[in-house]
Amino acid sequence: MDVLEEQPTFEIGVVVPKRTVKVEDESSDCVEVLVNEFKKVGLIAERVLGVADEFIKLAASLETLGMAAAELQITKQTRIGMELQFHWEEVKAFERQPDGSLFSWCERFYCYQHLIRGIKNKRQTAITLKYDGKEFKWEVGECLLQKLETEGIVKRVFPLHDETKRKKLLYSWALHWWDFTNQPIDEIYSYFGTKIAVYFAFLGMYTRWLLFPAAFGLTLQIINFGYVLEFRSLRLLVLPIFFVSIILWAIMFSQFWKRKNSALLARWQISYSMEADVGYKLLGMDRSSVQSAEKPVRKAHIKIEKEVFQRNEWFGRLLRFRNDALVILSIICLQLPFELAYAHTYEVMESDIIKFGLTAIYLFAIQYLTQVGGKISVKLIKHEDNENKEKRADSLVYKVFGLYFMQSYIGVFYHALLHRSFLTLRQVLILRLLVSEVLQNLWENSLPYLKYSYKKYRIRSKKRQEKKSSSGKIQFSSRVEKEYLKPSYSASIGEEIEDGLFDDLLELALQFGMIMMFASAFPLAFAFAILNNITEIRTDALKLLTMFKRPQPRAAATIGAWLNIFQFLTVMSICTNCALLAWLYDEEGRWKIEPGLAAILVMEHILLMIKFGFSRFVPEEPAWVRANRMKNATQAQDVCSKRILRSISAEKESREEKEHVVEKEFGMKKEE
């Protein structure tokens, strides 16, 4: 299919309340004006009446999106591999997406935002708008959509599901259970954008890689070294081998995921290097102002560039260091004593009823403290000098994960230190893994449906009160209204910075930490993890396609800070498992440097060296990706150098021609 034959589909919804007063002059009605302005910028608008609100569905032709992309100066990959600024007149020179479309979902969404938020009053005077008996002024140069949002007339602007693509993904992905970890990643990228596609690619690869430790752990559990006394010497040999294998597995997984991530980005024609505009933003300038500036001004900017960059760099680092230090001190001084006090009190209590009540109080308190900690983290981040939204999201991840790390693992550490028994530790881990995973899945899958049902119930109740009649069934017939009533895919903490991927990746990281840091005590945990993750792939897909609004796309090219957290947990697991093996070996508590304990200490240092040295052995980028990148860079350099040389030659010829003309005129005047 030719790229110019793409059919427009409705991808954006605008929600306005239903009118209660009929407008005589529709030319001044603000909703009518809004629809007309949408059409003037090239959008296709369709109005739909719902039960409680009115909806405006928006679509755009490829030409409209292309013109918007050119105004936004979006860079796209060309057919020769170079990334150039998009021009609609040269549309055929640019590569298409894996699904055959010209623009990705992220690019289309930004184009829509540019179009609908770029509608301003370009007249010489303010325009009077009316809505339900109210009048207000649309001032000169003011954004219409922002004005209507401020007045409470536009209630929400949100992405719409494409019903054809949604159903296709529903049957080929969410309901395709027999494929286990196989997923249509390219289709997910085309529909949801880069960040969600990268998350599911990571989840699928992580689950596939769990097959080895799950099989190894299941074998150990079947042989049951832990319960047979005469096998103690064999257990002291097999568990360290299992531990070393698991650490090497985690190190290799981390490095090979980076290679997989690079291959996906190359396939999707995405570059995650710093944008050129970031440098200008740090200097308080924009690209056009620099390009149009005179030479003396540009030289002045070059002179101060180094000082500005250095000041911004170190000031930003100091701000982040101060905020991180505040969070870490708060966790150590406030949360750590609270967690230890709960773990100790739970151990000394004898009554099961009191233990149940204590656990209920603890869960309520820890949820409250986590929410408070999350709000404080968001306020601290607002005062940091982060480059973009993804950097702010990474900062939030680091701060909030500290809270969850403390509440998830300190109790388990306490049990391990207090009892020094693998059997007791296994019981605690089984309780944590099974109960927390099952309850978490039930909660996260039922909550969106409950929210959706409650919203529909409230609207029906309100309509019945207005009609003063309890009879008659109120139906939600329009698809756009049903989507509007669905909850947003937002984070439980810091929803203004993060989206629902925060909770999904947090759950995955906590699971990874639990099975890795106590691998020697409970090898079977990997089998529980792989079963949970196979279910997680399909349930998460089902949530995104049926239970939530279509998420706004994010341009992040990796899982961000979460990969660093996975690597941190790998390092922690080296230390914790060595401690567990030392307790297993030194059951009498003598703590003498005997050959077994000495071997464990040596093994710990060797594994740490392997962890930090393996990245040198396995490159983060596949050879074909690196070769393509170098080829594209060489082509870009050749083209740029030729253009520069041509411009220099043309400038020189023009200057020589001007000098020749001046000399000729001077000679003619001299003869006269």
Side-chain angles (χ1 to χ4, degrees), residues 20-77:
T20 57
V21 179
K22 190 174 181 180
V23 181
E24 295 179 357
D25 183 14
E26 290 192 352
S27 61
S28 62
D29 177 52
C30 61
V31 177
E32 190 67 32
V33 170
L34 180 64
V35 171
N36 290 333
E37 292 294 332
F38 283 154
K39 292 178 180 179
K40 285 180 183 178
V41 297
L43 293 171
I44 302 168
E46 180 181 314
R47 298 174 71 167
V48 178
L49 282 176
V51 176
D53 297 294
E54 185 178 354
F55 303 89
I56 306 169
K57 298 193 298 183
L58 299 177
S61 64
L62 187 61
E63 182 179 0
T64 301
L65 293 175
M67 298 300 289
E71 291 175 7
L72 287 170
Q73 299 183 354
I74 290 176
T75 58
K76 289 183 64 64
Q77 192 170 22

Side-chain angles (χ1 to χ4, degrees), residues 259 262-264 266-267 621-630:
R259 292 172 61 84
S262 298
L264 286 173
R267 195 164 78 206
E621 215 174 30
W624 68 271
V625 174
R626 187 165 58 254
N628 283 343
R629 183 167 50 80
M630 295 301 295

Side-chain angles (χ1 to χ4, degrees), residues 446-458:
S446 59
L447 186 61
Y449 178 74
L450 292 174
K451 287 182 176 179
Y452 175 62
S453 300
Y454 179 67
K455 284 184 178 179
K456 290 201 297 184
Y457 169 76
R458 285 187 59 186

Side-chain angles (χ1 to χ4, degrees), residues 600-637:
I600 292 170
L601 293 175
V602 172
M603 181 173 61
E604 178 186 24
H605 287 74
I606 291 174
L607 287 173
L608 287 172
M609 291 175 62
I610 292 173
K611 164 69 183 74
F612 295 107
F614 191 75
S615 59
R616 296 287 181 182
F617 179 69
V618 179
E620 297 182 2
E621 215 174 30
W624 68 271
V625 174
R626 187 165 58 254
N628 283 343
R629 183 167 50 80
M630 295 301 295
K631 183 188 72 173
N632 295 339
T634 304
Q635 288 179 340
Q637 186 178 5

Side-chain angles (χ1 to χ4, degrees), residues 71-231:
E71 291 175 7
L72 287 170
Q73 299 183 354
I74 290 176
T75 58
K76 289 183 64 64
Q77 192 170 22
T78 59
R79 295 186 182 275
I80 62 171
M82 290 176 56
E83 286 194 357
L84 297 175
Q85 185 176 317
F86 182 81
H87 292 281
W88 173 247
E89 295 78 11
E90 309 296 335
V91 61
K92 293 186 178 180
F94 293 90
E95 277 285 0
R96 286 176 279 179
Q97 298 296 312
D99 65 345
S101 59
L102 178 63
F103 296 109
S104 67
W105 165 230
C106 187
E107 291 168 340
R108 293 201 307 275
F109 181 77
Y110 289 148
C111 288
Y112 276 112
Q113 291 292 315
H114 173 71
L115 290 168
I116 64 178
R117 297 195 178 275
I119 298 173
K120 297 180 180 179
N121 183 5
K122 297 179 181 179
R123 299 183 185 179
Q124 301 297 323
T125 59
I127 299 173
T128 302
L129 299 178
K130 299 178 181 178
Y131 189 82
D132 266 1
K134 293 193 304 182
E135 286 190 7
F136 52 91
K137 297 287 186 180
W138 180 21
E139 301 295 338
V140 177
E142 188 177 18
C143 173
L144 177 59
L145 191 66
Q146 186 176 351
K147 178 67 176 179
L148 297 181
E149 286 175 335
T150 305
E151 296 291 335
I153 295 170
V154 171
K155 299 169 71 173
R156 192 180 184 92
V157 179
F158 64 100
L160 292 174
H161 278 289
D162 183 335
E163 196 63 16
T164 304
K165 294 180 180 179
R166 188 189 72 85
K167 286 183 178 179
K168 183 180 177 182
L169 278 174
L170 190 64
Y171 292 109
S172 65
W173 177 35
L175 302 178
H176 222 242
W177 286 84
W178 49 88
D179 272 353
F180 295 104
T181 60
N182 291 330
Q183 304 172 83
I185 295 298
D186 288 341
E187 286 80 0
I188 297 169
Y189 160 72
S190 299
Y191 191 71
F192 286 113
T194 313
K195 189 66 181 278
I196 289 178
V198 167
Y199 161 71
F200 279 103
F202 178 82
L203 178 57
M205 181 175 172
Y206 170 54
T207 306
R208 284 192 298 274
W209 275 61
L210 276 173
L211 284 171
F212 165 71
F216 199 167
L218 188 60
T219 304
L220 289 182
Q221 192 68 25
I222 292 172
I223 298 174
N224 205 359
F225 289 110
Y227 298 108
V228 184
L229 186 61
E230 56 265 24
F231 284 122

